[in-house]
Amino acid sequence: MAPTIRRLQVAVSGLGRMGARHANHFLHRTPKAELVAAFSPEPREIEWAREHLEPWGVKLYTDYDEMLKHEGLEAVCVATATTVHAEQTIKAIEAHKHVLCEKPLSTKHDILRTPLIDHSQKVFDTARRYPDVKVMCGFSRRFDASYRNAYEITKKGDIGRPTILRSQTCDKYDPSGFFVAYAEFSGGIFVDCNIHDIDLALWFFSIDGNLPKVKSVVAFGVTALEPDLAKHGDVDNGVGVVEFFDGQIAYFYSSRMNAPGQHDMTEIIGTTGKLAVNSNPTTGLLESHRPDGIQRDIPQNYYERFEQAFVEEAREFTDAVLENKQLPIDLESSVEAVRIGVALQESLRSGKKIWFDREGKRVDQDGQAKARL
Amino acid sequence: MAPTIRRLQVAVSGLGRMGARHANHFLHRTPKAELVAAFSPEPREIEWAREHLEPWGVKLYTDYDEMLKHEGLEAVCVATATTVHAEQTIKAIEAHKHVLCEKPLSTKHDILRTPLIDHSQKVFDTARRYPDVKVMCGFSRRFDASYRNAYEITKKGDIGRPTILRSQTCDKYDPSGFFVAYAEFSGGIFVDCNIHDIDLALWFFSIDGNLPKVKSVVAFGVTALEPDLAKHGDVDNGVGVVEFFDGQIAYFYSSRMNAPGQHDMTEIIGTTGKLAVNSNPTTGLLESHRPDGIQRDIPQNYYERFEQAFVEEAREFTDAVLENKQLPIDLESSVEAVRIGVALQESLRSGKKIWFDREGKRVDQDGQAKARL
Amino acid sequence: MAPTIRRLQVAVSGLGRMGARHANHFLHRTPKAELVAAFSPEPREIEWAREHLEPWGVKLYTDYDEMLKHEGLEAVCVATATTVHAEQTIKAIEAHKHVLCEKPLSTKHDILRTPLIDHSQKVFDTARRYPDVKVMCGFSRRFDASYRNAYEITKKGDIGRPTILRSQTCDKYDPSGFFVAYAEFSGGIFVDCNIHDIDLALWFFSIDGNLPKVKSVVAFGVTALEPDLAKHGDVDNGVGVVEFFDGQIAYFYSSRMNAPGQHDMTEIIGTTGKLAVNSNPTTGLLESHRPDGIQRDIPQNYYERFEQAFVEEAREFTDAVLENKQLPIDLESSVEAVRIGVALQESLRSGKKIWFDREGKRVDQDGQAKARL
Amino acid sequence: MAPTIRRLQVAVSGLGRMGARHANHFLHRTPKAELVAAFSPEPREIEWAREHLEPWGVKLYTDYDEMLKHEGLEAVCVATATTVHAEQTIKAIEAHKHVLCEKPLSTKHDILRTPLIDHSQKVFDTARRYPDVKVMCGFSRRFDASYRNAYEITKKGDIGRPTILRSQTCDKYDPSGFFVAYAEFSGGIFVDCNIHDIDLALWFFSIDGNLPKVKSVVAFGVTALEPDLAKHGDVDNGVGVVEFFDGQIAYFYSSRMNAPGQHDMTEIIGTTGKLAVNSNPTTGLLESHRPDGIQRDIPQNYYERFEQAFVEEAREFTDAVLENKQLPIDLESSVEAVRIGVALQESLRSGKKIWFDREGKRVDQDGQAKARL
């Protein structure tokens, strides 16, 4: 019998580590989506796709613009290198394709004292001009069952007013030097890692409907294992604090040297209770009672931890487009997350605390407006 | 583009609670399978299927024999009431269809002192006559990541020789009286619940390749909340011990009154270490710090706990058939599990310890053969 | 200034491992007691006492009967080898001294088919004749804060009726052969280890005021690491089940081969909730995040686990005597614990299930009285 | 027999909450100490002492100076209100008494822009002039078994170089308004609560023998439940970061609104591993499986958490004096802890980041010396 279900026609751009995963999610784990096309400029990635995607009927492209013209294409999942996230997203929007873009939207924002183009803002402005096109930045933790459970409990008021948020993103140490090479383009540890934690702060602190307003940020960091990170103004351990107007504080930790594996965790501290997500990381439900004690494994990377969340992200993006519903993540919040991440990164580099007024303009410590940075 | 992948043509029989889940797993979560047909004698279930399966191209049947004739059908997932598991499985085998059958194969075995047909054995004998047909009883825990992890560690020898196995299957209390009605057909708590734990004992104690041989069994039970279970010779809390020849013991607990939810757990105790699976049940990675202490939720039923395992089961069954590989669970072991479950149930009813010799024949406590029971 | 507080004059008999600890507890950690005398027949132990007890004013004895005559002596803590527990306790009672006796009261009971003296019963009968003398068998777990917390919660009715009790006593494996030598006098694993678990079952199942009545017991065991235990009719892993009249079951596990250390734990399962004591053993509050996972240590022996409980035991015994209050543990219950332990040990050896009637008399499986065993 | 042991003659000053506990520890739980005297200006406290101390031979004083003249007195435990810690300590030193002083030494330090006396420093200077007198500030966590275990592991090098330290002190919310009244004298949340966390940072970061040097501090805070704290320049939730020269960062959280109870925890993050102390607070080893999930209690106050540590503190202080050994905590470190706590408190109030040079002098953000503050 012929199926009568309508399925969203999706393409994936970029078939590297995350791109290949997104392709698989749309191909095999998102019933209402159909992966029809995939793009990569990398021969190695195309080779992988010939084996794993083409047999399922996926058309492969080595030219992004060509792919956008694929007949019937409705949506694009942008999973290329961070540096082209913004550009590809904008092109897709202008081609009237819905977009699910990997985080972060970009690594640059107007807090930098350079005349660079402010990419996140440009994505946002473009999206505004195409109100029928749905654009979402993929902050995977928002689709994780435990975070969602925490959000529902918070929403119900069970912990009172969310007041303090502590969140960390800690990667297993990779002795290959990968993190140093990666730092050249990543935007730095606060933009690459803590961007998730920042997003969570914006999510939980806007539980009453309004994005919280940043009052000040400050960041610290050290290079404990990878001194060469300093070349890129980056660190392998970062601590940052974001103070919001109206009595809320978020504080963050990120690390590239967590010994047992990936440990991303969050505490949402309200006036009458606290929710802890992943205080006790674990791969599963197994504990080993060994001569040297009791031991358990933890996920080795963020995908082991968040695989189901990425799948859920693909499904909800698909549903939102098919049913013309509101996307689960607001684009304005994702732009703000980049802005805060970049501010923390600047504070790390300058050693200075950075202040903002309620309109988001940078001011000095006495509240006087400062030159655009 | 047209896909060029070959996919296994599967039908599901029975669209009740588990049948509907199996249908969804083959339809949406088993890339290499294609759900082509489904059978149910229940109008309510067919109605559900019209909405959820038919639009995806699945042909619906109200006659099991007709479904077996569906053109191109290669395999059947039997998920009807336990009482017809054996009959449908045999019919499918005889129609040259591969079979994935829900546990248990049946609730009856030759340990009963009645001249009833020994259903499990009949399935086994039939399967033997069709060596090209693959038949597997779906013991979901064998596909659970944590149990598999435990098995791999055990296989490597890291805990020495598996010697003691403790395992429990505890359901959340259902005050509706469901368990009483269900007991009429379930075969009793040791056949319905502990069958999983028995299967785990057989799995871990045959890690060197040979099924362990039962020496004796004994069972105890109480009806703490549902006295009416006694009508069916059943209990709501059972404790059983299975002693194997060659120095191994498994002991089990099952309950229908676990307050917070489903708590199925297992310890595999070896001569140099112990593996504990799910000592600390949890729904996810969230803990709530509340005025009355720290709290976490646990799964409410076995499907919340084992959903991924059921999906994996469908995938591996599919792969084994498509690639003509050995099935992950041996049918002989599944028949033995029923035999042990039935023996425990008899011990519960009679209050007596039951002995076997190394050939599996029932003997009295001095090792003399007893009449067939 | 001279103190005006009256303190209980105590002697300790036996200065081996536990005796030395008891001496220290009465000497330094029981404010209202004064350790005035100590007895040991072992020169090595007396030597230890010269250094650690004598400087604090404790008089040392190498003759137990002489010690009983120590002027002003009011109470004796019997902590010698198990084989003389009963004899020394009886002598002390007859000398009008209050007694705190280490568990078990003895290793023998009338369930044995030998004409041996039934020591526990004799202690009990003697104590009856001296109603002003307080006699308590030291089951340390009853003084542990977590067990007490569990008891209070159960007493309040928060878990409904206690129905199933699971309890285990698992020692760290000692490769020196100690356990084999020890088995000659220990009475066997059910009398030596599970006696604690049996005592807990009696405690929690008599929460309404009446000792529960044993209906049947059955035991199994293997010698996984120490085959020489068989010489003493003992095992290194034991599983036992005790069925009580009135719908309660206790099941036990004991082991001499727990890899990481001591793991004694208990679950009290009631009709509306369950209490788990020490499901997750730990030395303290430290977890190590290491390259091979997250690890924690557990206690290496029962004293590391129960040190505070032993101290509390000394304090409460002292208070009960000084204030002429009821002792926290009833002697009848301690005698019953020995009886059940010995019955389990016999079931282990014979392979047979053992039945009792409501009066505690042994019967065959059809309820007919059996000859005294 | 008369004891021949020499015991340290100790007095306790202050018999409020902590003073009474210290008195009990020296009286009943420190075998080598003898509590001979106690002082309190409070009639209510003296009344308590008449009942609980005097019968044990303790002489009571209502005049501190008189108590210092108690014949044979060797040491004083100062446990009065924080505001007189420094003064009483100095007097005791000058009377040639050894001193165990409750933390903090004082709430004032030269970082304040006022001409106030710098009390901590004065204690330190006095102690220097009396090298034979032992003076220790009682940071209880240093005597906690889990922290000590962490320290030993760190000392062995098992986690590499300690690089990041996260630590928190969270009190159960007390709705009585106590925290507001208390804030008038406590020195503020960073001096009162986080002083412990600061001390831990100094302890773990000086594992190679040298006190780490503070480079900068910054603090944030909110009054979520007790707006009146603002009157005293204090908050009910504080977040602070301390950056040290040589690549180490400590970050702290303190709260007066933790719902379930006391939760003080610490992570010591090294280059090759992490140690977590009390990530999972608990009262004991009990978990309740209830209809609404699995639950456990946590300590209700710091004494429930650290009781054993306080006892150990008394014992080690006593031993160090009796055997003329080095004290376990260096006074210089305790003075530095106050300095950092006061700096954080100032940063909280001013909103500004504060810098120091390697000599500990305050500088502006460009490293220029600032006026003494």
Side-chain angles (χ1 to χ4, degrees):
Chain A
M1 295 169 69
T4 58
I5 288 282
R6 152 155 147 67
R7 293 199 285 162
L8 187 70
Q9 308 294 294
V10 178
V12 167
S13 169
L15 296 169
R17 206 168 43 165
M18 268 319 296
R21 289 167 183 159
H22 280 295
N24 271 315
H25 299 168
F26 279 107
L27 185 56
H28 296 308
R29 300 170 77 173
T30 309
K32 293 190 181 159
E34 191 173 0
L35 185 72
V36 295
F39 154 77
S40 172
E42 292 287 341
R44 200 169 35 85
E45 292 176 13
I46 289 291
E47 198 176 334
W48 173 88
R50 290 231 183 281
E51 183 180 354
H52 294 95
L53 304 183
E54 218 172 40
W56 297 90
V58 181
K59 178 88 191 275
L60 307 183
Y61 292 89
T62 55
D63 180 314
Y64 181 76
D65 297 326
E66 283 304 305
M67 187 192 71
L68 284 183
K69 296 177 196 153
H70 184 94
E71 199 186 327
L73 183 68
E74 296 172 284
V76 179
C77 171
V78 174
T80 40
T82 300
T83 41
V84 294
H85 282 179
E87 179 195 338
Q88 291 195 350
T89 298
I90 289 167
K91 278 187 176 177
I93 295 170
E94 292 174 343
H96 292 270
K97 310 300 176 198
H98 307 286
V99 183
L100 169 59
C101 178
E102 258 296 317
K103 69 88 212 169
L105 281 175
S106 81
T107 60
K108 309 222 167 52
H109 199 279
D110 74 351
I111 201 171
L112 292 172
R113 290 174 183 282
T114 63
L116 275 181
I117 298 150
D118 178 347
H119 291 111
S120 314
Q121 191 61 39
K122 210 165 159 186
V123 171
F124 184 72
D125 294 343
T126 308
R128 277 241 163 136
R129 292 205 318 274
Y130 293 79
D132 295 344
V133 174
K134 293 190 184 296
V135 183
M136 181 172 91
C137 184
F139 281 105
S140 47
R141 289 180 207 181
R142 294 221 195 183
F143 301 91
D144 175 68
S146 299
Y147 277 107
R148 290 204 153 181
N149 201 349
Y151 190 81
E152 290 312 315
I153 292 170
T154 305
K155 186 90 185 172
K156 274 193 297 178
D158 284 3
I159 61 164
R161 184 181 190 234
T163 301
I164 308 287
L165 186 135
R166 174 172 83 82
S167 198
Q168 75 178 31
T169 299
C170 296
D171 294 337
K172 187 176 177 70
Y173 180 55
D174 176 345
S176 73
F178 165 78
F179 289 128
V180 175
Y182 184 57
E184 187 172 355
F185 306 105
S186 74
I189 202 163
F190 289 102
V191 174
D192 182 51
C193 289
N194 284 132
I195 193 87
H196 287 290
D197 308 296
I198 296 165
D199 175 64
L200 291 170
L202 295 175
W203 191 31
F204 279 92
F205 286 167
S206 63
I207 207 148
D208 63 356
N210 300 307
L211 265 188
K213 295 178 187 306
V214 182
K215 184 176 176 188
S216 71
V217 308
V218 70
F220 299 85
V222 298
T223 52
L225 286 179
E226 297 287 1
D228 286 354
L229 284 169
K231 290 190 295 195
H232 307 299
D234 206 3
V235 292
D236 50 22
N237 284 268
V239 171
V241 186
V242 178
E243 179 186 31
F244 295 92
F245 285 102
D246 304 318
Q248 291 167 314
I249 298 170
Y251 67 111
F252 307 124
Y253 172 53
S254 48
S255 176
R256 304 292 196 186
M257 69 181 200
N258 199 48
Q262 190 79 21
H263 189 184
D264 302 339
M265 68 89 64
T266 303
E267 287 179 349
I268 304 102
I269 303 169
T271 42
T272 62
K274 178 171 86 169
L275 300 173
V277 178
N278 202 28
S279 285
N280 295 292
T282 180
T283 306
L285 296 164
L286 175 67
E287 282 197 320
S288 300
H289 294 234
R290 317 189 306 190
D292 72 341
I294 297 178
Q295 183 268 1
R296 68 178 193 276
D297 293 330
I298 78 168
Q300 295 304 290
N301 54 59
Y302 70 95
Y303 188 67
E304 281 192 22
R305 167 67 183 87
F306 291 108
E307 179 179 343
Q308 292 300 322
F310 281 110
V311 171
E312 186 61 23
E313 177 184 289
R315 289 183 193 162
E316 297 200 12
F317 172 76
T318 298
D319 283 356
V321 172
L322 285 175
E323 302 168 26
N324 195 21
K325 292 189 306 190
Q326 199 183 351
L327 287 164
I329 305 178
D330 190 66
L331 196 58
E332 184 184 0
S333 169
S334 302
V335 173
E336 180 67 4
V338 174
R339 197 171 76 99
I340 295 173
V342 171
L344 282 164
Q345 203 73 27
E346 189 200 322
S347 173
L348 169 72
R349 287 166 189 168
S350 70
K352 295 180 184 168
K353 187 177 170 184
I354 298 175
W355 278 265
F356 299 89
D357 65 14
R358 280 186 178 268
E359 279 66 50
K361 287 206 214 76
R362 189 168 174 183
V363 294
D364 65 19
Q365 62 185 49
D366 301 313
Q368 306 300 315
K370 295 192 70 165
R372 193 171 181 285
L373 71 164
Chain B
M1 297 167 70
T4 59
I5 288 281
R6 154 154 144 68
R7 293 198 286 162
L8 186 71
Q9 309 294 294
V10 179
V12 167
S13 169
L15 296 170
R17 206 170 41 167
M18 269 318 298
R21 290 167 183 157
H22 281 294
N24 271 315
H25 299 169
F26 279 108
L27 185 56
H28 296 308
R29 301 170 77 172
T30 309
K32 293 190 182 159
E34 191 173 1
L35 185 73
V36 294
F39 154 77
S40 172
E42 293 286 341
R44 199 169 36 85
E45 291 177 15
I46 288 293
E47 198 177 335
W48 173 86
R50 289 230 184 282
E51 183 181 354
H52 294 95
L53 304 183
E54 217 172 42
W56 297 90
V58 180
K59 177 87 190 276
L60 307 182
Y61 292 88
T62 55
D63 180 314
Y64 181 74
D65 298 325
E66 282 305 305
M67 187 193 71
L68 285 184
K69 296 178 196 155
H70 184 95
E71 199 187 327
L73 182 68
E74 296 173 284
V76 179
C77 172
V78 175
T80 39
T82 300
T83 41
V84 294
H85 281 180
E87 179 194 337
Q88 291 195 350
T89 298
I90 288 167
K91 278 187 178 177
I93 296 170
E94 291 175 345
H96 292 269
K97 309 302 177 197
H98 307 285
V99 183
L100 170 59
C101 179
E102 258 295 318
K103 69 88 208 167
L105 279 176
S106 80
T107 59
K108 307 219 166 55
H109 199 279
D110 73 352
I111 201 171
L112 292 172
R113 290 174 183 283
T114 63
L116 275 181
I117 300 151
D118 179 348
H119 291 110
S120 313
Q121 191 62 38
K122 211 165 158 183
V123 171
F124 184 71
D125 295 342
T126 307
R128 276 243 164 133
R129 294 205 317 274
Y130 293 79
D132 294 347
V133 174
K134 293 189 184 297
V135 184
M136 179 171 92
C137 185
F139 281 106
S140 48
R141 288 181 208 180
R142 294 223 195 181
F143 301 92
D144 175 68
S146 298
Y147 278 106
R148 292 205 151 180
N149 201 349
Y151 190 82
E152 290 313 312
I153 291 170
T154 304
K155 187 90 186 171
K156 274 194 297 177
D158 284 4
I159 61 164
R161 183 179 190 235
T163 302
I164 309 286
L165 185 134
R166 175 171 83 81
S167 198
Q168 75 178 30
T169 299
C170 296
D171 294 337
K172 186 177 177 71
Y173 180 55
D174 175 345
S176 72
F178 165 78
F179 288 129
V180 176
Y182 184 57
E184 187 172 354
F185 305 105
S186 74
I189 202 164
F190 289 101
V191 174
D192 182 51
C193 290
N194 284 132
I195 194 86
H196 287 290
D197 308 295
I198 296 166
D199 176 63
L200 291 170
L202 295 175
W203 191 31
F204 279 91
F205 285 167
S206 63
I207 207 150
D208 62 357
N210 300 306
L211 264 187
K213 293 178 189 307
V214 182
K215 183 176 177 187
S216 71
V217 309
V218 71
F220 300 83
V222 298
T223 52
L225 286 179
E226 297 286 0
D228 286 353
L229 284 169
K231 289 190 297 193
H232 307 299
D234 206 3
V235 292
D236 51 21
N237 284 267
V239 171
V241 185
V242 178
E243 181 186 28
F244 295 93
F245 285 101
D246 304 319
Q248 291 169 314
I249 298 170
Y251 66 112
F252 307 125
Y253 173 54
S254 49
S255 176
R256 304 291 196 188
M257 70 181 200
N258 199 48
Q262 189 79 22
H263 188 185
D264 303 338
M265 69 89 63
T266 303
E267 287 179 348
I268 304 102
I269 303 169
T271 43
T272 62
K274 177 172 88 170
L275 300 173
V277 178
N278 202 28
S279 286
N280 295 292
T282 178
T283 306
L285 296 163
L286 175 66
E287 283 198 319
S288 299
H289 295 233
R290 316 188 305 191
D292 71 342
I294 297 179
Q295 184 268 359
R296 68 177 193 277
D297 293 329
I298 78 168
Q300 294 305 289
N301 53 60
Y302 69 95
Y303 188 67
E304 280 191 23
R305 167 66 182 87
F306 290 109
E307 179 178 344
Q308 293 300 322
F310 282 110
V311 171
E312 186 62 22
E313 177 185 287
R315 288 183 194 163
E316 297 200 13
F317 172 76
T318 298
D319 283 356
V321 172
L322 285 175
E323 301 168 28
N324 195 20
K325 292 189 305 192
Q326 199 183 351
L327 287 164
I329 304 179
D330 191 65
L331 197 57
E332 184 185 0
S333 168
S334 302
V335 173
E336 180 68 3
V338 174
R339 198 172 75 99
I340 295 173
V342 170
L344 283 164
Q345 202 74 26
E346 189 199 322
S347 174
L348 169 71
R349 287 165 191 169
S350 70
K352 295 180 185 168
K353 187 175 169 184
I354 297 175
W355 278 266
F356 299 89
D357 66 13
R358 279 186 179 269
E359 279 64 51
K361 286 206 215 74
R362 190 167 172 183
V363 294
D364 64 19
Q365 62 185 47
D366 300 313
Q368 305 301 314
K370 295 193 70 166
R372 194 168 182 284
L373 72 165
Chain C
M1 297 168 69
T4 59
I5 287 282
R6 154 155 145 66
R7 293 199 284 163
L8 187 70
Q9 308 293 293
V10 179
V12 167
S13 169
L15 296 169
R17 206 169 41 167
M18 269 318 296
R21 289 168 182 156
H22 281 295
N24 271 315
H25 299 168
F26 280 107
L27 185 56
H28 297 307
R29 301 170 77 173
T30 309
K32 293 190 181 159
E34 190 173 0
L35 185 72
V36 294
F39 154 77
S40 172
E42 293 284 343
R44 200 168 36 84
E45 291 176 15
I46 289 292
E47 198 177 334
W48 173 86
R50 289 228 186 283
E51 184 180 353
H52 294 96
L53 303 184
E54 216 172 41
W56 297 90
V58 180
K59 178 87 191 276
L60 306 182
Y61 292 88
T62 55
D63 180 313
Y64 181 74
D65 297 326
E66 283 305 306
M67 187 192 72
L68 286 183
K69 298 176 196 153
H70 184 95
E71 199 188 326
L73 183 67
E74 296 173 284
V76 179
C77 172
V78 175
T80 39
T82 300
T83 41
V84 294
H85 281 180
E87 180 195 337
Q88 291 196 349
T89 298
I90 289 167
K91 278 187 179 179
I93 296 170
E94 291 174 343
H96 292 269
K97 310 301 177 198
H98 306 286
V99 183
L100 169 59
C101 178
E102 258 295 318
K103 69 85 211 170
L105 279 177
S106 81
T107 59
K108 309 222 166 53
H109 199 279
D110 73 352
I111 201 171
L112 292 171
R113 291 173 183 283
T114 63
L116 274 181
I117 299 151
D118 179 346
H119 291 111
S120 315
Q121 190 63 38
K122 212 165 157 185
V123 170
F124 184 71
D125 295 342
T126 308
R128 276 240 163 138
R129 294 204 318 274
Y130 293 79
D132 294 346
V133 174
K134 293 190 185 296
V135 184
M136 180 171 92
C137 185
F139 282 106
S140 48
R141 289 181 207 179
R142 294 224 197 180
F143 302 91
D144 175 69
S146 299
Y147 278 106
R148 291 205 151 179
N149 201 350
Y151 190 81
E152 290 312 314
I153 292 169
T154 304
K155 187 88 185 172
K156 275 194 297 177
D158 285 3
I159 61 163
R161 183 180 190 235
T163 302
I164 309 287
L165 186 135
R166 174 172 83 82
S167 197
Q168 74 178 32
T169 299
C170 296
D171 293 337
K172 185 177 176 74
Y173 180 55
D174 175 344
S176 73
F178 165 78
F179 289 128
V180 175
Y182 183 57
E184 188 173 354
F185 305 105
S186 74
I189 203 164
F190 289 101
V191 174
D192 182 51
C193 290
N194 284 132
I195 193 86
H196 287 290
D197 307 296
I198 296 166
D199 175 63
L200 291 170
L202 295 176
W203 191 31
F204 279 92
F205 286 167
S206 62
I207 207 148
D208 62 357
N210 300 307
L211 264 188
K213 295 178 187 307
V214 181
K215 183 177 177 186
S216 72
V217 309
V218 71
F220 300 83
V222 299
T223 52
L225 286 179
E226 297 287 359
D228 285 354
L229 285 169
K231 288 191 297 194
H232 307 299
D234 207 3
V235 292
D236 50 21
N237 283 268
V239 171
V241 185
V242 178
E243 180 186 28
F244 295 92
F245 285 102
D246 304 319
Q248 292 168 313
I249 298 170
Y251 67 112
F252 306 125
Y253 172 54
S254 48
S255 176
R256 304 292 195 185
M257 69 180 201
N258 198 48
Q262 189 79 21
H263 189 185
D264 303 339
M265 69 88 64
T266 304
E267 286 179 348
I268 304 103
I269 303 169
T271 43
T272 62
K274 178 172 87 170
L275 300 173
V277 177
N278 202 28
S279 285
N280 295 292
T282 178
T283 307
L285 296 163
L286 176 66
E287 282 198 319
S288 299
H289 295 233
R290 316 189 305 192
D292 71 341
I294 297 178
Q295 184 269 358
R296 68 178 192 277
D297 293 329
I298 78 169
Q300 294 304 288
N301 54 60
Y302 70 95
Y303 189 68
E304 281 192 23
R305 167 65 183 88
F306 290 108
E307 179 178 344
Q308 293 301 321
F310 282 110
V311 172
E312 185 62 21
E313 177 184 287
R315 289 182 193 164
E316 299 200 10
F317 172 76
T318 299
D319 283 356
V321 172
L322 286 175
E323 302 168 26
N324 195 21
K325 291 189 305 190
Q326 200 183 349
L327 287 164
I329 304 179
D330 191 65
L331 196 57
E332 184 185 359
S333 168
S334 302
V335 173
E336 180 68 4
V338 175
R339 198 171 75 99
I340 295 174
V342 171
L344 283 165
Q345 202 73 27
E346 189 200 321
S347 173
L348 169 71
R349 286 165 191 170
S350 70
K352 295 179 185 169
K353 186 176 171 185
I354 298 176
W355 278 266
F356 299 89
D357 66 14
R358 278 186 178 269
E359 279 65 49
K361 287 208 214 72
R362 189 167 173 185
V363 294
D364 65 17
Q365 61 185 48
D366 300 312
Q368 306 300 315
K370 296 193 69 167
R372 193 171 183 282
L373 72 164
Chain D
M1 296 169 69
T4 60
I5 288 281
R6 155 156 144 68
R7 295 198 283 164
L8 187 69
Q9 308 293 293
V10 179
V12 166
S13 170
L15 296 170
R17 207 169 41 167
M18 269 319 295
R21 289 166 183 159
H22 280 295
N24 271 316
H25 300 169
F26 279 106
L27 184 56
H28 297 307
R29 301 170 77 173
T30 309
K32 294 191 181 158
E34 190 173 0
L35 186 71
V36 294
F39 154 77
S40 172
E42 294 284 343
R44 201 169 34 85
E45 292 176 13
I46 287 292
E47 197 177 336
W48 173 87
R50 288 229 186 283
E51 183 180 354
H52 293 96
L53 304 183
E54 217 172 41
W56 297 90
V58 180
K59 178 86 190 278
L60 307 182
Y61 292 89
T62 55
D63 181 313
Y64 180 75
D65 297 325
E66 283 305 306
M67 187 192 71
L68 284 183
K69 295 177 196 152
H70 185 94
E71 199 187 326
L73 183 67
E74 295 174 284
V76 179
C77 172
V78 175
T80 39
T82 300
T83 41
V84 293
H85 282 179
E87 179 194 338
Q88 291 196 349
T89 298
I90 288 167
K91 279 187 177 178
I93 296 170
E94 291 174 345
H96 291 270
K97 310 301 176 198
H98 307 286
V99 183
L100 169 59
C101 179
E102 259 296 317
K103 68 89 209 169
L105 280 176
S106 81
T107 59
K108 308 224 166 52
H109 200 279
D110 73 351
I111 201 171
L112 293 172
R113 290 173 182 284
T114 63
L116 275 181
I117 299 151
D118 179 348
H119 291 110
S120 315
Q121 191 62 38
K122 211 165 159 184
V123 171
F124 184 72
D125 295 342
T126 307
R128 276 240 163 137
R129 293 204 319 273
Y130 294 79
D132 295 345
V133 174
K134 293 191 184 296
V135 183
M136 180 171 92
C137 185
F139 281 106
S140 47
R141 289 181 208 181
R142 295 224 195 182
F143 301 91
D144 175 69
S146 299
Y147 278 106
R148 291 207 153 178
N149 201 349
Y151 190 81
E152 290 313 313
I153 291 170
T154 304
K155 187 90 185 171
K156 276 194 295 177
D158 285 3
I159 61 163
R161 183 179 191 235
T163 302
I164 308 287
L165 186 135
R166 173 171 84 82
S167 198
Q168 75 178 31
T169 299
C170 297
D171 294 338
K172 186 176 176 74
Y173 180 55
D174 175 347
S176 72
F178 166 79
F179 289 129
V180 175
Y182 184 56
E184 187 171 356
F185 305 104
S186 74
I189 202 164
F190 290 102
V191 174
D192 182 51
C193 289
N194 285 132
I195 194 87
H196 287 289
D197 307 296
I198 297 166
D199 175 63
L200 291 170
L202 295 175
W203 191 30
F204 278 92
F205 285 168
S206 63
I207 207 149
D208 63 356
N210 300 307
L211 264 188
K213 295 177 186 306
V214 182
K215 185 176 176 186
S216 70
V217 309
V218 70
F220 300 84
V222 298
T223 52
L225 286 179
E226 296 287 1
D228 286 353
L229 284 169
K231 289 191 298 195
H232 306 299
D234 206 3
V235 292
D236 51 20
N237 284 267
V239 171
V241 186
V242 178
E243 180 186 30
F244 294 92
F245 285 102
D246 304 317
Q248 290 167 314
I249 297 169
Y251 66 112
F252 307 125
Y253 173 53
S254 48
S255 176
R256 304 292 195 186
M257 69 180 200
N258 199 47
Q262 190 78 22
H263 189 184
D264 303 339
M265 69 88 64
T266 303
E267 287 179 348
I268 305 103
I269 303 169
T271 42
T272 62
K274 178 171 86 169
L275 300 173
V277 178
N278 202 28
S279 285
N280 294 293
T282 179
T283 306
L285 296 164
L286 175 67
E287 282 197 319
S288 300
H289 295 234
R290 317 188 306 190
D292 72 340
I294 297 178
Q295 182 268 0
R296 69 178 192 277
D297 293 329
I298 78 168
Q300 295 304 289
N301 54 59
Y302 71 95
Y303 188 67
E304 281 192 24
R305 167 66 183 87
F306 290 108
E307 178 178 343
Q308 293 300 323
F310 281 110
V311 171
E312 186 62 22
E313 178 185 289
R315 289 183 193 163
E316 298 200 11
F317 172 76
T318 298
D319 283 357
V321 172
L322 285 175
E323 302 169 26
N324 195 20
K325 292 191 305 191
Q326 200 183 352
L327 288 164
I329 305 178
D330 191 66
L331 196 58
E332 184 185 359
S333 169
S334 302
V335 173
E336 180 67 4
V338 174
R339 197 171 77 99
I340 295 172
V342 171
L344 282 164
Q345 203 73 27
E346 189 199 321
S347 173
L348 169 71
R349 286 166 191 168
S350 70
K352 294 179 184 169
K353 188 177 170 184
I354 298 175
W355 278 265
F356 299 89
D357 66 14
R358 279 185 178 269
E359 278 66 49
K361 287 206 216 76
R362 189 167 173 183
V363 294
D364 66 18
Q365 61 184 50
D366 300 313
Q368 305 301 313
K370 296 192 68 166
R372 195 170 182 283
L373 72 164

